[in-house]
Amino acid sequence: MKIKREEENSEVIQVTLQGNYIREYIELMNMAFKLSPREIEALANAIILNPERPFTTEDRVKISQIMGFNSRLVLNNLIKSIKNKKAILYDENAKQYRYHDIFKDIRFEGVIRFKLERR
């Protein structure tokens, strides 16, 4: 991840993500959620496997295997913590999880621009 100002006195910061940009993007946005490294890994795996719907039953099995868990209960605890930190939300009507808007459709060309404002 490279971070630079667009111009010397600019309020706009340009961030260039490379490689596993999904994990880097989550780490960049983590200031809003305070996810642990394992929670970030679980969320990144969920987005990679299913960018539309997080932590389906099928995906839980795959993510548990990828992360080396002997039991899905460990992953379930991580999912609960991710939900409590609001990175995923539970839709009562649909009876399923959905990603926080920040994590929806995070396919991009690798450059993100932020504007910093003083309050």
Side-chain angles (χ1 to χ4, degrees):
M1 179 179 341
K2 280 188 341 193
I3 301 174
K4 70 173 189 171
R5 287 193 184 274
E6 285 194 339
E7 297 173 12
E8 190 173 321
N9 293 323
S10 173
E11 294 178 343
V12 177
I13 292 179
Q14 178 175 304
V15 179
T16 304
L17 304 178
Q18 301 166 342
N20 185 357
Y21 69 87
I22 291 175
R23 183 182 176 91
E24 285 188 346
Y25 180 83
I26 294 169
E27 289 172 352
L28 189 62
M29 296 298 140
N30 194 32
M31 65 184 117
F33 302 101
K34 308 292 188 231
L35 300 172
S36 72
R38 288 190 111 183
E39 292 165 346
I40 290 171
E41 183 179 354
L43 184 58
N45 284 317
I47 292 170
I48 290 166
L49 288 173
N50 190 340
E52 303 299 322
R53 189 170 157 214
F55 301 111
T56 64
T57 303
E58 301 82 28
D59 291 343
R60 288 179 192 217
V61 172
K62 293 175 188 172
I63 294 168
S64 292
Q65 291 171 347
I66 291 167
M67 295 183 70
F69 298 147
N70 293 330
S71 168
R72 278 190 288 154
L73 295 176
V74 177
L75 180 60
N76 287 343
N77 288 337
L78 285 175
I79 293 168
K80 181 179 180 186
S81 181
I82 293 167
K83 179 179 77 80
N84 289 344
K85 294 177 180 180
K86 309 278 191 254
I88 59 173
L89 307 165
Y90 189 73
D91 184 338
E92 288 291 336
N93 295 328
K95 302 289 186 211
Q96 65 187 23
Y97 289 108
R98 65 179 179 83
Y99 295 108
H100 186 283
D101 288 345
I102 287 176
F103 301 119
K104 285 185 181 177
D105 196 28
I106 60 172
R107 294 175 216 107
F108 47 81
E109 296 300 315
V111 175
I112 304 172
R113 287 183 175 80
F114 293 95
K115 182 172 183 183
L116 303 177
E117 296 179 345
R118 290 197 174 133
R119 292 185 179 205

